[in-house]
Amino acid sequence: IMGNQISNNGDHGISSVSSSQNLIQGNYSYSNGDNNTNGCGFYIDGASHDNLIVGNIGHTNDGYGAQIIAGAQRNSLIGNSFINNEDGAISDAGTATINEHNQN
């Protein structure tokens, strides 16, 4: 998933559901979620493993810039910018997540 602009969704901008070994790069996820749903810029569910999330921007989302759910394994967040998100930059409940060089 590369080079997209995702904005104003009622839920998450980019969501990985039971999906593994993906490259999510160079996307701009802005202003997702609404008053009823804490939409994150980038959402990795508990059955998603070995994904690389690199060089993205998650800005002003109603949830987190990026959220990794318990059960998700070996996902990497590298060189992203997660700023001005209502719940915070990153929520990581996954296992063996690599979290490096992200701007919060």
Side-chain angles (χ1 to χ4, degrees), residues 29-92:
S29 187
Y30 173 81
S31 193
N32 295 293
D34 57 28
N35 291 333
N36 299 316
T37 305
N38 280 337
C40 298
F42 301 88
Y43 177 86
I44 309 298
D45 88 346
S48 294
H49 315 298
D50 303 305
N51 294 293
L52 176 59
I53 300 98
V54 61
N56 299 286
I57 298 171
H59 187 275
T60 315
N61 293 289
D62 199 52
Y64 291 95
Q67 184 172 20
I68 299 176
I69 300 301
Q73 298 176 22
R74 301 173 306 276
N75 292 286
S76 300
L77 296 167
I78 301 172
N80 300 286
S81 178
F82 300 122
I83 53 176
N84 201 33
N85 296 286
E86 187 173 310
D87 291 342
I90 299 169
S91 173
D92 177 16

